[in-house]
Amino acid sequence: VKYKTQEFKGLDKTVADLSGDRESTSAELSAVLEYYGKIKERCIAKPETYEERKKRREAEIAGLKEALTVLNDETALVQRKRR
């Protein structure tokens, strides 16, 4: 009976230690998951909608057309001055 009591006390201490480890691990895991949730929003690229891509492309095409017009006008002026 004496040895069984010592064994039970030892097992109770082990259970208490492991329960404390489990609680600290659970707290750490929840903190990591919370941090991951915050980081995930910033790091993962969100796909652009079709309307946004279309609007950006149209603005880019308009800018390129304007640049081509300016370059053609300047080229015409440069060529006329040399003649």
Side-chain angles (χ1 to χ4, degrees), residues 26-75:
S26 296
E28 186 178 344
L29 176 63
S30 65
V32 168
L33 290 176
E34 181 182 344
Y35 181 71
Y36 174 70
K38 291 177 184 176
I39 294 295
K40 184 178 177 182
E41 293 174 4
R42 287 187 265 159
C43 293
I44 295 177
K46 295 175 184 144
E48 210 174 15
T49 64
Y50 175 75
E51 290 79 20
E52 291 171 346
R53 287 183 289 166
K54 183 178 176 184
K55 184 178 177 182
R56 191 184 69 222
R57 284 190 186 126
E58 287 174 352
E60 185 178 356
I61 289 172
L64 290 172
K65 285 180 180 178
E66 182 181 340
L68 181 63
T69 303
V70 169
L71 289 174
N72 283 336
D73 291 343
E74 288 181 6
T75 304

